[in-house]
Amino acid sequence: QVQLVESGGGLVQPGGSLRLSCVASTNAFRLYGMGWYRQAPGNQRELVAHVTSGGITNYADSVKGRFTIARDNAKKTVYLQMNSLNPNDTAVYYCSAQWVRAYWGQGTQVTVSS
């Protein structure tokens, strides 16, 4: 069982930045692909960004050039740096660890509003 704890969400004005963090409980963190997903009210959960165990990243088209995913295996942590936020980014953001199976965090709310 892998526990994931997200932090860093909050209220930010349009154009602002936030950095989300997700700390994993597993000592095998380096073997996991790590992803950030989000779900806005009335919408399905969607992939925002993903980083493989080897460090290869991919992003949703809607966040390319604005968001950056990074992992620190020594700290068992994955980050999501979010810049140039707009109201369409408002959602609950979830961290996921994927190897043999997928694990999910409890989510952190990001609200972009003036």
Side-chain angles (χ1 to χ4, degrees):
Q1 189 76 7
V2 176
Q3 294 183 337
L4 303 170
V5 179
E6 301 108 330
S7 61
L11 173 64
V12 63
Q13 292 187 340
S17 298
L18 283 175
R19 188 176 81 155
L20 306 182
S21 300
C22 171
V23 181
S25 64
T26 177
N27 289 326
F29 178 82
R30 71 189 186 284
L31 300 178
Y32 283 79
M34 299 298 298
W36 285 98
Y37 295 74
R38 67 186 180 187
Q39 188 168 17
N43 290 355
Q44 291 185 335
R45 192 173 297 188
E46 62 176 1
L47 174 69
V48 175
H50 184 269
V51 57
T52 68
S53 58
I56 298 171
T57 59
N58 70 285
Y59 298 90
D61 287 344
S62 59
V63 307
K64 282 181 180 177
R66 300 189 298 123
F67 290 11
T68 303
I69 189 170
R71 64 187 300 156
D72 185 332
N73 289 341
K75 295 183 178 179
K76 297 185 288 185
T77 300
V78 63
Y79 304 97
L80 185 68
Q81 177 67 43
M82 305 186 294
N83 298 328
S84 301
L85 285 160
N86 63 64
N88 290 331
D89 297 315
T90 295
V92 178
Y93 283 70
Y94 297 91
C95 173
S96 178
Q98 300 144 6
W99 183 27
V100 176
R101 53 156 288 187
Y103 297 89
W104 295 89
Q106 81 287 352
T108 185
Q109 176 70 47
V110 171
T111 303
V112 184
S113 175
S114 56

